[in-house]
Amino acid sequence: MVDASLSEIKEQSKVLLRVDYNMPRVNGKWLVNERLTQTLPIINQCLKKQCSILLVSHLGRPEPGFYQAEYSFKTLVPILAQTLQRPVRLLPDWPNRPPDLMPGEVGLAENTRFLKGETSNSTDLSKAMVANIDVVIMDAFACAHRSHASTVGMMRQAKQVLLGTNHQAEIEAIQSITHQTGQNRLALIGGKKLSTKLPLLRQLLKFFPTLCVGGGLANTLLYAQGYPLGCSWIEYDHLKQAEAFLKLAGQHDCRVYVPKDVVVSQGSPKPGADIRTVPINAIQPNECIVDIGPDSVAEYKNVINQQSYSYWNGPMGIYELDFGKRASIQLAKQLSGGRALVGGGDTLSCIKAMPDLTFTHKSTGGGSFLHLLANQTSPVLEAYRASIRETISQ
């Protein structure tokens, strides 16, 4: 699939492609997923037109204004070059030094989060980013909910703005959910933090009569219900919000399933740790939840079987550890082949080792998908619409 609007790009244009290569790494090794592979068709189409391509992305949450080696894209460059089968240059001084890319050349800008003014959407930084750029292609859907200099800021300053193929596909997938009718719809929600997803989870109650939760997010909900969870991850400062959410779900007649059993490790979770499976009310003070248990998986599978449409966002456990991703793998297999939409960078990395699984749609966005689903728009989409209105008025 190639975005027809990309045909508007002229030969040898200077293209800035905003991507999201914010992918997980384990022990320094990149867990490459669809966030990279899905950008290849757009890159290759631009290369056919002998465009120079500046790839721009953020990575993690380093302190702005300082270089931190662990958040550098330096080690991704050889992987990207091998994937594209052509040289890729790292541009560590961008945008202070405009890229000197030749037609048909690809450059990867260093982590935008190293730059002061990125997350505060500095106008001066945005202008510097698009200096000497002919067209900005916004394909980083996973960043669509952020008003940063390298997202909304650049789009407001660019000569021409296009939405990438993957971004458009994400919007279409969300529309497919909101157009669904009936009661047989399920959302499986995992991941670590309840706090980051809570405002959007409230909106999900409008679309999904059934929720199954896991991960650290479930821990906070369980603790709010009075379960002692040992030394597990819990957002203690969000317990009242967790209680309010469960109450709101009841008011919406939404059934929320929480784990009835869990896999725990002795002490902090790490490779080789001793693990055991226990009921949710039998966790010892020195034990930490690493995954939902087999009884919970069986219950969630049964719930999936009763649905006509399912959405899954976020792993059920600490997927970076072998014993923390078993539940997610089993649920992914259960969802495969049905009408299921899965999303989020961690979710994609969790199922990467199972390429034979098929889903209706695989979203590269987690928070951005929930944001657009809940609000039917995003800061990036509003900026894009504004750019269209400005073009028409000229």
Side-chain angles (χ1 to χ4, degrees), residues 249-322:
Q251 294 171 352
H252 279 268
D253 294 324
C254 177
R255 176 73 182 273
V256 179
Y257 289 85
V258 294
K260 59 175 60 177
D261 66 334
V262 290
V263 179
V264 296
S265 69
Q266 297 290 319
S268 299
K270 56 185 177 181
D274 293 330
I275 61 171
R276 70 186 186 114
T277 300
V278 297
I280 195 62
N281 60 356
I283 301 173
Q284 298 301 309
N286 66 331
E287 292 180 325
C288 174
I289 297 174
V290 297
D291 204 358
I292 66 174
D295 290 345
S296 301
V297 171
E299 182 173 52
Y300 289 11
K301 283 184 176 181
N302 183 55
V303 175
I304 291 171
N305 287 337
Q306 299 173 33
Q307 311 305 314
S308 58
Y309 197 98
S310 300
Y311 168 56
W312 175 29
N313 179 306
M316 295 290 108
I318 305 175
Y319 76 95
E320 295 93 341
L321 301 171
D322 288 339

Side-chain angles (χ1 to χ4, degrees), residues 167 243 319 339 370:
H167 204 133
E243 293 174 0
Y319 76 95
R339 298 184 66 190
L370 291 174

Side-chain angles (χ1 to χ4, degrees), residues 177 185-187 204-211 254 309 311 373:
I177 290 180
R185 287 172 290 162
L186 163 69
L204 284 184
L205 299 177
K206 300 177 182 179
F207 304 106
F208 295 96
T210 307
L211 299 180
C254 177
Y309 197 98
Y311 168 56
L373 177 61

Side-chain angles (χ1 to χ4, degrees), residues 61-83:
R61 299 177 184 273
E63 184 177 355
F66 298 93
Y67 173 84
Q68 295 170 253
E70 63 268 32
Y71 292 108
S72 173
F73 279 123
K74 183 177 181 179
T75 56
L76 184 63
V77 168
I79 297 173
L80 186 58
Q82 182 178 14
T83 304

Side-chain angles (χ1 to χ4, degrees), residues 10-21:
K10 298 178 181 179
E11 296 280 339
Q12 297 191 3
S13 291
K14 296 177 181 178
V15 174
L16 188 158
L17 177 58
R18 180 50 163 104
V19 294
D20 186 358
Y21 290 166

Side-chain angles (χ1 to χ4, degrees), residues 18 20-22 56-60 73 111-113 143 146:
R18 180 50 163 104
D20 186 358
Y21 290 166
N22 183 34
V56 174
S57 178
H58 75 283
L59 176 63
F73 279 123
N111 188 355
T112 61
R113 293 278 176 89
C143 306
R146 297 192 176 105

